[in-house]
Coordinates of all heavy atoms in Angstrom, one line a residue:
V1 N 0.9 -1.2 0.0 CA 0.0 0.0 0.0 C 0.9 1.2 0.0 O 1.7 1.5 0.9 CB -0.9 0.0 1.2 CG1 -1.7 1.3 1.3 CG2 -1.8 -1.2 1.3
A2 N 0.8 2.0 -1.1 CA 1.6 3.2 -1.1 C 0.9 4.3 -0.3 O -0.3 4.3 -0.3 CB 1.7 3.7 -2.6
R3 N 1.6 5.0 0.5 CA 1.1 6.1 1.3 C 1.8 7.3 1.1 O 3.0 7.3 0.7 CB 1.1 5.6 2.8 CG 0.3 4.4 3.1 CD 0.3 4.1 4.5 NE -0.5 5.1 5.2 CZ -1.0 5.0 6.4 NH1 -0.8 3.9 7.1 NH2 -1.8 5.9 6.9
G4 N 1.2 8.4 1.5 CA 1.9 9.7 1.5 C 0.9 10.8 1.8 O -0.2 10.5 2.1
E5 N 1.4 12.0 1.8 CA 0.6 13.1 2.1 C 0.0 13.7 0.7 O 0.7 13.6 -0.3 CB 1.3 14.2 2.8 CG 1.8 13.8 4.1 CD 2.7 14.9 4.8 OE1 3.1 15.9 4.1 OE2 3.0 14.8 5.9
L6 N -1.2 14.2 0.8 CA -1.7 14.8 -0.4 C -0.8 15.9 -1.0 O -0.7 16.0 -2.2 CB -3.1 15.4 -0.1 CG -3.9 16.0 -1.3 CD1 -4.1 15.0 -2.4 CD2 -5.2 16.5 -0.8
A7 N -0.1 16.7 -0.1 CA 0.8 17.7 -0.6 C 1.8 17.1 -1.5 O 2.1 17.7 -2.6 CB 1.4 18.4 0.6
E8 N 2.3 16.0 -1.2 CA 3.4 15.3 -2.0 C 2.8 14.9 -3.4 O 3.3 15.1 -4.4 CB 3.9 14.1 -1.3 CG 4.9 13.3 -2.1 CD 5.3 12.1 -1.3 OE1 5.1 11.9 -0.1 OE2 5.9 11.2 -2.0
W9 N 1.6 14.3 -3.4 CA 0.9 13.9 -4.6 C 0.6 15.0 -5.5 O 0.7 14.9 -6.7 CB -0.3 13.1 -4.3 CG 0.0 11.7 -3.7 CD1 0.4 11.4 -2.4 CD2 0.1 10.5 -4.4 NE1 0.6 10.1 -2.3 CE2 0.5 9.5 -3.5 CE3 -0.1 10.2 -5.8 CZ2 0.7 8.2 -3.9 CZ3 0.1 8.8 -6.1 CH2 0.5 7.9 -5.2
L10 N 0.1 16.2 -4.9 CA -0.2 17.3 -5.7 C 1.0 18.0 -6.4 O 0.8 18.7 -7.3 CB -1.0 18.3 -4.9 CG -2.4 17.9 -4.4 CD1 -3.0 19.0 -3.5 CD2 -3.3 17.6 -5.6
S11 N 2.1 17.8 -5.8 CA 3.3 18.4 -6.4 C 3.9 17.7 -7.6 O 4.7 18.2 -8.4 CB 4.5 18.5 -5.3 OG 4.9 17.1 -5.0
Y12 N 3.4 16.5 -7.9 CA 3.8 15.7 -9.1 C 3.2 16.3 -10.3 O 2.0 16.9 -10.2 CB 3.4 14.3 -9.0 CG 4.0 13.5 -7.9 CD1 3.3 12.5 -7.3 CD2 5.3 13.7 -7.5 CE1 3.9 11.7 -6.3 CE2 5.9 13.0 -6.5 CZ 5.2 12.0 -5.9 OH 5.7 11.2 -4.9
P13 N 3.8 16.2 -11.5 CA 3.2 16.7 -12.7 C 1.9 15.9 -12.9 O 1.7 14.7 -12.5 CB 4.2 16.3 -13.8 CG 5.5 16.2 -13.1 CD 5.2 15.7 -11.7
Q14 N 0.9 16.5 -13.6 CA -0.4 15.9 -13.8 C -0.3 14.5 -14.4 O -1.0 13.6 -14.0 CB -1.2 16.8 -14.8 CG -2.6 16.3 -15.1 CD -3.6 16.9 -14.1 OE1 -3.3 17.8 -13.4 NE2 -4.8 16.4 -14.2
D15 N 0.7 14.2 -15.3 CA 0.8 12.9 -15.9 C 1.4 11.8 -15.1 O 1.3 10.6 -15.4 CB 1.5 13.0 -17.3 CG 2.9 13.5 -17.2 OD1 3.2 14.1 -16.1 OD2 3.6 13.3 -18.1
S16 N 2.0 12.2 -13.9 CA 2.7 11.2 -13.1 C 2.1 11.1 -11.7 O 2.5 10.2 -10.9 CB 4.2 11.4 -13.1 OG 4.4 12.6 -12.4
G17 N 1.3 12.0 -11.3 CA 0.8 12.1 -10.0 C -0.7 11.7 -10.0 O -1.1 10.6 -10.4
L18 N -1.5 12.5 -9.4 CA -3.0 12.2 -9.4 C -3.7 12.8 -10.6 O -3.5 13.9 -11.0 CB -3.6 12.9 -8.1 CG -3.2 12.4 -6.8 CD1 -3.7 13.3 -5.7 CD2 -3.6 11.0 -6.6
S19 N -4.5 11.9 -11.2 CA -5.3 12.3 -12.4 C -6.3 13.3 -11.9 O -6.6 13.5 -10.7 CB -5.9 11.1 -13.0 OG -6.9 10.6 -12.1
S20 N -7.0 14.0 -12.9 CA -8.1 14.9 -12.6 C -9.2 14.2 -11.8 O -9.8 14.7 -10.8 CB -8.7 15.5 -13.8 OG -7.7 16.3 -14.5
A21 N -9.5 12.9 -12.2 CA -10.5 12.1 -11.4 C -10.1 11.9 -10.0 O -10.9 12.0 -9.1 CB -10.8 10.8 -12.2
H22 N -8.8 11.6 -9.8 CA -8.3 11.4 -8.4 C -8.3 12.7 -7.6 O -8.6 12.6 -6.4 CB -6.9 10.8 -8.4 CG -6.9 9.3 -8.9 ND1 -5.7 8.8 -9.4 CD2 -7.8 8.4 -8.9 CE1 -6.0 7.5 -9.7 NE2 -7.3 7.3 -9.4
R23 N -8.0 13.8 -8.2 CA -8.1 15.1 -7.5 C -9.5 15.4 -7.1 O -9.7 15.9 -6.0 CB -7.5 16.2 -8.4 CG -6.0 16.0 -8.6 CD -5.5 17.0 -9.7 NE -4.1 16.6 -10.0 CZ -3.0 17.3 -9.7 NH1 -3.2 18.4 -9.0 NH2 -1.8 16.9 -10.0
L24 N -10.5 15.1 -8.0 CA -11.9 15.3 -7.6 C -12.3 14.3 -6.5 O -12.9 14.7 -5.5 CB -12.8 15.0 -8.8 CG -14.3 15.2 -8.6 CD1 -14.6 16.6 -8.1 CD2 -15.0 14.9 -9.9
R25 N -11.8 13.1 -6.5 CA -12.0 12.1 -5.5 C -11.4 12.6 -4.1 O -12.1 12.5 -3.1 CB -11.4 10.8 -5.9 CG -11.7 9.6 -4.9 CD -11.1 8.4 -5.5 NE -11.2 7.3 -4.5 CZ -12.2 6.4 -4.5 NH1 -13.2 6.5 -5.4 NH2 -12.3 5.4 -3.7
A26 N -10.2 13.2 -4.2 CA -9.6 13.8 -3.0 C -10.5 14.9 -2.4 O -10.7 14.9 -1.2 CB -8.2 14.3 -3.3
A27 N -10.9 15.8 -3.2 CA -11.8 16.9 -2.7 C -13.1 16.3 -2.1 O -13.5 16.8 -1.0 CB -12.1 17.8 -3.9
T28 N -13.7 15.3 -2.7 CA -14.9 14.7 -2.2 C -14.6 14.0 -0.9 O -15.4 14.2 0.1 CB -15.4 13.7 -3.2 OG1 -15.7 14.4 -4.4 CG2 -16.7 13.1 -2.7
H29 N -13.5 13.2 -0.8 CA -13.2 12.5 0.5 C -12.9 13.5 1.6 O -13.4 13.3 2.7 CB -12.0 11.6 0.3 CG -12.3 10.4 -0.4 ND1 -11.5 9.3 -0.4 CD2 -13.4 10.0 -1.2 CE1 -12.0 8.3 -1.1 NE2 -13.1 8.7 -1.6
V30 N -12.2 14.6 1.3 CA -11.9 15.6 2.3 C -13.2 16.3 2.8 O -13.4 16.5 4.0 CB -10.8 16.6 1.8 CG1 -10.7 17.8 2.8 CG2 -9.5 15.9 1.6
A31 N -14.0 16.6 1.9 CA -15.3 17.3 2.2 C -16.1 16.3 3.1 O -16.7 16.8 4.1 CB -16.1 17.7 1.0
H32 N -16.2 15.1 2.8 CA -17.0 14.1 3.6 C -16.3 13.9 4.9 O -17.1 13.9 6.0 CB -17.1 12.8 2.9 CG -18.1 12.7 1.8 ND1 -19.1 11.9 1.7 CD2 -18.2 13.5 0.6 CE1 -19.8 12.1 0.6 NE2 -19.3 13.1 0.0
G33 N -15.0 13.9 5.0 CA -14.3 13.8 6.3 C -14.6 15.0 7.2 O -14.9 14.8 8.4
L34 N -14.5 16.2 6.6 CA -14.8 17.4 7.4 C -16.3 17.4 7.8 O -16.6 17.8 9.0 CB -14.5 18.6 6.6 CG -13.0 18.9 6.4 CD1 -12.8 20.1 5.5 CD2 -12.3 19.1 7.7
A35 N -17.2 17.0 7.0 CA -18.6 17.0 7.3 C -18.8 16.0 8.5 O -19.6 16.3 9.4 CB -19.5 16.5 6.2
H36 N -18.1 14.9 8.5 CA -18.2 13.9 9.6 C -17.7 14.5 10.9 O -18.3 14.4 11.9 CB -17.5 12.6 9.2 CG -17.6 11.5 10.3 ND1 -18.7 10.8 10.4 CD2 -16.7 11.1 11.2 CE1 -18.5 9.9 11.4 NE2 -17.3 10.1 11.9
L37 N -16.6 15.2 10.8 CA -16.0 15.8 12.0 C -17.0 16.9 12.5 O -17.2 17.0 13.7 CB -14.7 16.5 11.7 CG -13.5 15.5 11.5 CD1 -12.3 16.3 11.0 CD2 -13.2 14.8 12.8
H38 N -17.5 17.7 11.6 CA -18.4 18.8 12.0 C -19.7 18.3 12.7 O -20.2 18.8 13.6 CB -18.7 19.8 10.9 CG -17.5 20.5 10.5 ND1 -17.5 21.3 9.3 CD2 -16.2 20.6 11.0 CE1 -16.3 21.9 9.2 NE2 -15.5 21.5 10.2
H39 N -20.2 17.2 12.1 CA -21.4 16.6 12.6 C -21.1 16.1 14.1 O -22.0 16.1 14.9 CB -21.8 15.4 11.7 CG -23.1 14.7 12.2 ND1 -24.3 15.3 12.1 CD2 -23.2 13.5 12.8 CE1 -25.2 14.5 12.6 NE2 -24.6 13.4 13.1
A40 N -19.9 15.7 14.3 CA -19.5 15.2 15.7 C -19.2 16.4 16.6 O -18.8 16.2 17.8 CB -18.4 14.2 15.6
G41 N -19.2 17.6 16.1 CA -18.9 18.8 16.8 C -17.4 19.1 16.9 O -17.0 19.9 17.8
V42 N -16.6 18.6 16.0 CA -15.2 18.8 16.0 C -14.8 19.7 14.9 O -15.3 19.5 13.8 CB -14.4 17.4 15.9 CG1 -12.9 17.6 15.8 CG2 -14.8 16.4 17.0
T43 N -14.0 20.7 15.2 CA -13.4 21.5 14.2 C -12.0 21.2 13.9 O -11.2 20.8 14.9 CB -13.5 23.0 14.6 OG1 -12.8 23.2 15.8 CG2 -14.9 23.5 14.7
H44 N -11.5 21.2 12.7 CA -10.2 20.8 12.3 C -9.3 22.0 12.6 O -8.3 22.0 13.3 CB -10.1 20.3 10.9 CG -8.7 19.7 10.6 ND1 -7.6 20.4 10.4 CD2 -8.4 18.4 10.5 CE1 -6.6 19.6 10.2 NE2 -7.0 18.4 10.3
G45 N -9.6 23.1 11.9 CA -8.9 24.4 12.1 C -7.6 24.6 11.4 O -7.1 25.7 11.2
R46 N -6.9 23.6 10.9 CA -5.7 23.7 10.2 C -5.6 22.7 9.0 O -4.5 22.1 8.8 CB -4.5 23.6 11.1 CG -4.4 22.3 11.9 CD -3.2 22.4 12.9 NE -3.2 21.2 13.7 CZ -3.8 21.0 14.9 NH1 -4.5 22.0 15.4 NH2 -3.7 19.9 15.5
L47 N -6.6 22.6 8.3 CA -6.6 21.7 7.2 C -5.7 22.3 6.1 O -5.8 23.4 5.7 CB -8.1 21.6 6.6 CG -8.2 20.6 5.4 CD1 -7.9 19.2 5.9 CD2 -9.6 20.7 4.9
K48 N -4.9 21.4 5.6 CA -3.9 21.7 4.5 C -3.5 20.4 3.9 O -3.8 19.3 4.4 CB -2.7 22.4 5.0 CG -2.0 21.7 6.2 CD -0.9 22.6 6.8 CE -0.3 21.9 8.0 NZ 0.6 22.8 8.7
P49 N -3.0 20.4 2.7 CA -2.7 19.1 2.0 C -1.8 18.2 2.7 O -1.9 17.0 2.6 CB -2.0 19.6 0.7 CG -2.6 20.9 0.4 CD -2.8 21.6 1.8
S50 N -0.9 18.7 3.6 CA 0.0 17.8 4.4 C -0.8 17.1 5.5 O -0.2 16.2 6.1 CB 1.2 18.6 4.9 OG 0.8 19.6 5.8
N51 N -2.0 17.5 5.8 CA -2.9 16.9 6.8 C -3.9 16.0 6.2 O -4.9 15.6 6.8 CB -3.6 17.9 7.6 CG -2.6 18.6 8.6 OD1 -1.6 18.2 8.9 ND2 -3.0 19.8 9.0
V52 N -3.7 15.6 4.9 CA -4.5 14.6 4.2 C -3.6 13.5 3.8 O -2.7 13.7 3.0 CB -5.3 15.2 3.0 CG1 -6.1 14.2 2.3 CG2 -6.1 16.4 3.5
L53 N -3.9 12.3 4.2 CA -3.1 11.1 3.8 C -3.7 10.4 2.6 O -4.9 10.4 2.4 CB -3.0 10.1 4.9 CG -2.2 10.5 6.2 CD1 -2.2 9.3 7.1 CD2 -0.8 10.9 5.8
V54 N -2.9 9.9 1.7 CA -3.3 9.2 0.6 C -3.0 7.7 0.8 O -1.8 7.4 1.1 CB -2.6 9.7 -0.7 CG1 -3.1 8.9 -1.9 CG2 -2.8 11.2 -0.9
R55 N -3.9 6.8 0.6 CA -3.7 5.4 0.8 C -4.1 4.8 -0.6 O -5.2 5.0 -1.1 CB -4.6 4.8 1.9 CG -4.2 5.4 3.2 CD -4.9 4.7 4.3 NE -4.6 3.3 4.3 CZ -4.4 2.5 5.3 NH1 -4.4 3.0 6.5 NH2 -4.1 1.3 5.2
M56 N -3.3 3.9 -1.1 CA -3.5 3.3 -2.4 C -3.6 1.8 -2.3 O -2.8 1.0 -2.8 CB -2.3 3.7 -3.3 CG -2.1 5.1 -3.5 SD -3.3 5.9 -4.6 CE -2.8 5.4 -6.2
H57 N -4.7 1.4 -1.7 CA -5.0 -0.1 -1.7 C -5.3 -0.5 -3.1 O -4.8 -1.6 -3.5 CB -6.2 -0.4 -0.8 CG -6.0 -0.2 0.7 ND1 -5.2 -1.0 1.4 CD2 -6.4 0.7 1.5 CE1 -5.1 -0.6 2.6 NE2 -5.9 0.5 2.8
D58 N -6.0 0.3 -3.8 CA -6.3 0.0 -5.2 C -5.9 1.3 -6.0 O -6.5 2.4 -5.8 CB -7.8 -0.2 -5.4 CG -8.3 -0.4 -6.8 OD1 -7.4 -0.2 -7.7 OD2 -9.4 -0.7 -7.0
P59 N -4.9 1.2 -6.9 CA -4.4 2.4 -7.6 C -5.5 3.2 -8.4 O -5.4 4.3 -8.6 CB -3.4 1.9 -8.5 CG -2.9 0.6 -7.9 CD -4.1 0.1 -7.2
S60 N -6.6 2.5 -8.7 CA -7.6 3.1 -9.5 C -8.6 3.9 -8.5 O -9.5 4.6 -9.0 CB -8.4 2.1 -10.3 OG -9.1 1.2 -9.5
A61 N -8.5 3.6 -7.2 CA -9.4 4.2 -6.3 C -8.7 4.6 -5.0 O -8.9 4.0 -3.9 CB -10.6 3.3 -6.0
P62 N -7.8 5.6 -5.0 CA -7.1 6.0 -3.8 C -8.1 6.5 -2.7 O -9.2 7.0 -3.0 CB -6.2 7.1 -4.2 CG -6.8 7.6 -5.5 CD -7.5 6.5 -6.1
L63 N -7.7 6.3 -1.5 CA -8.5 6.7 -0.3 C -7.7 7.9 0.3 O -6.5 7.9 0.5 CB -8.6 5.6 0.7 CG -9.3 5.9 2.0 CD1 -10.7 6.3 1.8 CD2 -9.1 4.8 3.0
F64 N -8.5 9.0 0.6 CA -7.9 10.2 1.2 C -8.5 10.4 2.6 O -9.7 10.4 2.7 CB -8.2 11.4 0.3 CG -7.7 11.3 -1.1 CD1 -8.5 10.7 -2.1 CD2 -6.4 11.7 -1.4 CE1 -8.0 10.5 -3.4 CE2 -5.9 11.5 -2.7 CZ -6.7 10.9 -3.7
Q65 N -7.6 10.5 3.6 CA -8.0 10.6 4.9 C -7.5 11.9 5.6 O -6.3 12.2 5.5 CB -7.5 9.4 5.7 CG -8.0 8.1 5.2 CD -7.3 6.9 5.9 OE1 -6.1 6.9 6.0 NE2 -8.2 6.0 6.4
V66 N -8.4 12.6 6.2 CA -8.1 13.8 7.0 C -7.4 13.4 8.3 O -7.9 12.6 9.0 CB -9.3 14.7 7.3 CG1 -9.0 15.9 8.1 CG2 -10.0 15.1 6.0
T67 N -6.2 14.0 8.6 CA -5.5 13.7 9.8 C -5.2 14.9 10.6 O -5.5 16.0 10.2 CB -4.2 13.0 9.4 OG1 -3.3 13.9 8.7 CG2 -4.4 11.7 8.6
D68 N -4.4 14.7 11.6 CA -3.9 15.8 12.5 C -5.1 16.6 13.1 O -5.1 17.8 13.1 CB -3.0 16.7 11.7 CG -2.2 17.6 12.7 OD1 -2.0 17.3 13.9 OD2 -1.7 18.7 12.2
V69 N -6.1 15.9 13.6 CA -7.2 16.5 14.3 C -6.8 16.6 15.8 O -6.6 15.6 16.4 CB -8.5 15.7 14.1 CG1 -9.6 16.4 14.8 CG2 -8.8 15.6 12.6
G70 N -6.8 17.8 16.3 CA -6.4 17.9 17.7 C -6.6 19.3 18.2 O -6.9 20.2 17.3
P71 N -6.5 19.6 19.4 CA -6.7 20.9 19.9 C -5.6 21.9 19.5 O -4.5 21.5 19.2 CB -6.7 20.8 21.5 CG -5.9 19.5 21.7 CD -6.2 18.6 20.5
Q72 N -6.0 23.1 19.3 CA -5.1 24.2 18.9 C -5.0 25.1 20.1 O -6.0 25.3 20.8 CB -5.6 24.9 17.7 CG -5.7 24.1 16.5 CD -6.3 24.9 15.3 OE1 -6.2 26.1 15.3 NE2 -7.0 24.2 14.4
P73 N -3.9 25.8 20.2 CA -3.8 26.8 21.3 C -4.9 27.8 21.2 O -5.0 28.4 20.1 CB -2.4 27.3 21.1 CG -1.6 26.3 20.4 CD -2.6 25.6 19.5
G74 N -5.6 28.1 22.2 CA -6.6 29.1 22.2 C -7.9 28.8 21.5 O -8.8 29.6 21.4
R75 N -8.1 27.5 21.0 CA -9.3 27.2 20.3 C -9.8 25.8 20.8 O -9.0 24.9 21.0 CB -9.1 27.0 18.8 CG -8.8 28.4 18.1 CD -8.7 28.3 16.7 NE -10.0 28.0 16.1 CZ -10.2 27.7 14.8 NH1 -9.2 27.7 14.0 NH2 -11.4 27.4 14.4
P76 N -11.0 25.7 21.1 CA -11.5 24.4 21.6 C -11.6 23.4 20.5 O -11.8 23.7 19.3 CB -13.0 24.7 22.1 CG -13.4 25.9 21.3 CD -12.1 26.7 21.0
L77 N -11.4 22.1 20.8 CA -11.5 21.0 19.8 C -13.0 20.8 19.5 O -13.4 20.6 18.3 CB -10.9 19.8 20.3 CG -11.0 18.5 19.5 CD1 -10.3 18.7 18.1 CD2 -10.4 17.3 20.2
L78 N -13.8 20.8 20.5 CA -15.3 20.6 20.3 C -16.0 21.9 20.3 O -15.6 22.8 21.0 CB -15.8 19.7 21.4 CG -15.2 18.3 21.6 CD1 -15.8 17.6 22.8 CD2 -15.5 17.5 20.3
T79 N -17.0 22.0 19.4 CA -17.8 23.2 19.4 C -19.1 23.1 20.0 O -19.6 22.0 20.3 CB -18.0 23.6 17.9 OG1 -18.7 22.6 17.2 CG2 -16.7 24.0 17.2

């Protein structure tokens, strides 16, 4: 299983990194992950490509996971 951060995958040229379909899939997975967190009353607060992991169990269908969810100085984790 190839793994890495979305930031790394986005830095590759279009023909060797993530296809347009995979980039759309990434956006969809991240949006669903954030919706799940918000539904649970959790705010991320520092979402960036390096806080999204890419898992490649199946190269045709990568999985994108939001990570690094935790409290920030001066901001509550739960809303």
Side-chain angles (χ1 to χ4, degrees):
V1 176
R3 296 184 75 161
E5 295 175 351
L6 183 58
E8 177 184 346
W9 287 83
L10 291 175
S11 69
Y12 296 147
Q14 183 90 10
D15 59 345
S16 64
L18 292 172
S19 68
S20 295
H22 287 159
R23 291 168 190 253
L24 179 59
R25 184 178 176 93
T28 302
H29 283 196
V30 169
H32 283 238
L34 289 176
H36 183 76
L37 288 171
H38 291 174
H39 181 73
V42 177
T43 56
H44 192 285
R46 57 184 176 268
L47 184 65
K48 55 189 174 186
S50 61
N51 288 340
V52 176
L53 293 182
V54 181
R55 298 184 59 138
M56 299 289 282
H57 290 289
D58 175 357
S60 67
L63 175 65
F64 301 91
Q65 297 175 310
V66 176
T67 63
D68 196 21
V69 177
Q72 298 176 25
R75 292 186 68 186
L77 176 62
L78 299 175
T79 57

